[in-house]
Amino acid sequence: EAGVAQSPRYKIIEKRQSVAFWCNPISGHATLYWYQQILGQGPKLLIQFQNNGVVDDSQLPKDRFSAERLKGVDSTLKIQPAKLEDSAVYLCASSPLASGIETQYFGPGTRLLVL
Amino acid sequence: DAKTTQPNSMESNEEEPVHLPCNHSTISGTDYIHWYRQLPSQGPEYVIHGLTSNVNNRMASLAIAEDRKSSTLILHRATLRDAAVYYCILRKDAGGTSYGKLTFGQGTILTVHP
């Protein structure tokens, strides 16, 4: 079974530029998550989709971050404009359903450096 | 969300058992106890979860206190590949506003010595 795919793996941009990350979840998984992991900290949930609807985006900085999940499969996360503090690893995860027992499967992440 | 408390770091020798503790004194009846680990430069991976009873799988065992206010992840024979950050997470079942999300803390950095 193929895992969660993410691209690019690394990205370096200058502040005020825009950047987009792509995620392809495990086939058939209804729930998709985007996490931000700053160096030395645990991942923090940015947004959660159930199929193509948003379930939780309470910690997404909506003035600069946006995300979409077209047709309930792939997802993109965009930052525009980027700030220095956005330097982090952006992790995508998926699970069959959103529940207290379903395992979340994580991708390898995209490492973003904002200069 | 109920919080968990873990030691910042622990050390072990290869092929010895490792007991990773987690305190969760404010756990509610609908909270599952999950453990994930994150190897260097990788995304987190699921290790084990439980509700009330002790659990075993091919990776580890989870011992849950009778009052559920603490739990221990047990790696029976640590290997160098087990060196990772281990996260203990309380996760509500579906139906609440948390809707199954994972709230990661700082975790425990496990170092395994050859």
Side-chain angles (χ1 to χ4, degrees):
Chain A
E1 177 181 80
V4 176
Q6 292 188 247
S7 68
R9 292 295 312 277
Y10 304 92
K11 190 74 176 178
I12 300 175
I13 62 172
E14 295 190 350
K15 60 183 179 182
R16 291 188 288 273
Q17 286 187 323
S18 63
V19 65
F21 312 127
W22 173 82
C23 173
N24 181 231
I26 293 173
S27 178
H29 281 194
T31 309
L32 185 147
Y33 310 81
W34 282 103
Y35 290 84
Q36 179 193 58
Q37 185 172 25
I38 293 171
L39 187 64
Q41 299 181 15
K44 180 184 80 171
L45 180 69
L46 292 176
I47 189 167
Q48 176 181 341
F49 292 94
Q50 182 76 12
N51 296 309
N52 60 351
V54 175
V55 173
D56 184 349
D57 63 357
S58 58
Q59 298 194 89
L60 185 74
K62 298 181 186 63
D63 58 335
R64 298 184 300 106
F65 286 65
S66 65
E68 60 181 5
R69 189 181 185 197
L70 299 176
K71 301 180 182 178
V73 182
D74 293 4
S75 178
T76 56
L77 176 69
K78 297 179 182 178
I79 308 175
Q80 182 180 10
K83 293 185 175 181
L84 297 177
E85 59 260 36
D86 298 331
S87 294
V89 176
Y90 291 85
L91 295 159
C92 179
S94 70
S95 65
L97 292 170
S99 75
I101 59 173
E102 290 283 357
T103 297
Q104 288 188 22
Y105 298 86
F106 285 80
T110 296
R111 190 174 300 271
L112 174 68
L113 178 61
V114 182
L115 301 176
Chain B
D1 293 336
K3 289 188 63 176
T4 63
T5 303
Q6 300 177 251
N8 290 332
S9 62
M10 291 186 65
E11 297 187 18
S12 173
N13 293 319
E14 204 174 7
E15 298 190 4
E16 290 184 354
V18 180
H19 289 66
L20 297 166
C22 181
N23 288 318
H24 28 79
S25 58
T26 59
I27 191 170
S28 72
T30 58
D31 286 336
Y32 286 84
I33 302 161
H34 284 248
W35 285 81
Y36 279 71
R37 73 179 186 181
Q38 188 170 22
L39 279 63
S41 300
Q42 295 188 27
E45 66 173 345
Y46 168 81
V47 178
I48 200 167
H49 77 274
L51 185 61
T52 56
S53 303
N54 294 344
V55 184
N56 300 296
N57 66 21
R58 64 175 180 80
M59 289 181 70
S61 296
L62 176 60
I64 301 172
E66 197 169 331
D67 63 6
R68 300 213 320 131
K69 293 185 176 182
S70 66
S71 61
T72 302
L73 179 70
I74 303 167
L75 306 179
H76 296 285
R77 290 184 66 198
T79 69
L80 297 179
R81 290 190 67 253
D82 291 322
V85 180
Y86 287 78
Y87 297 99
C88 171
I89 302 165
L90 301 183
R91 194 177 179 199
K92 292 192 181 299
D93 199 355
T97 56
S98 297
Y99 216 147
K101 75 178 183 182
L102 294 172
T103 301
F104 289 83
Q106 296 282 84
T108 296
I109 301 171
L110 176 64
T111 301
V112 180
H113 299 290

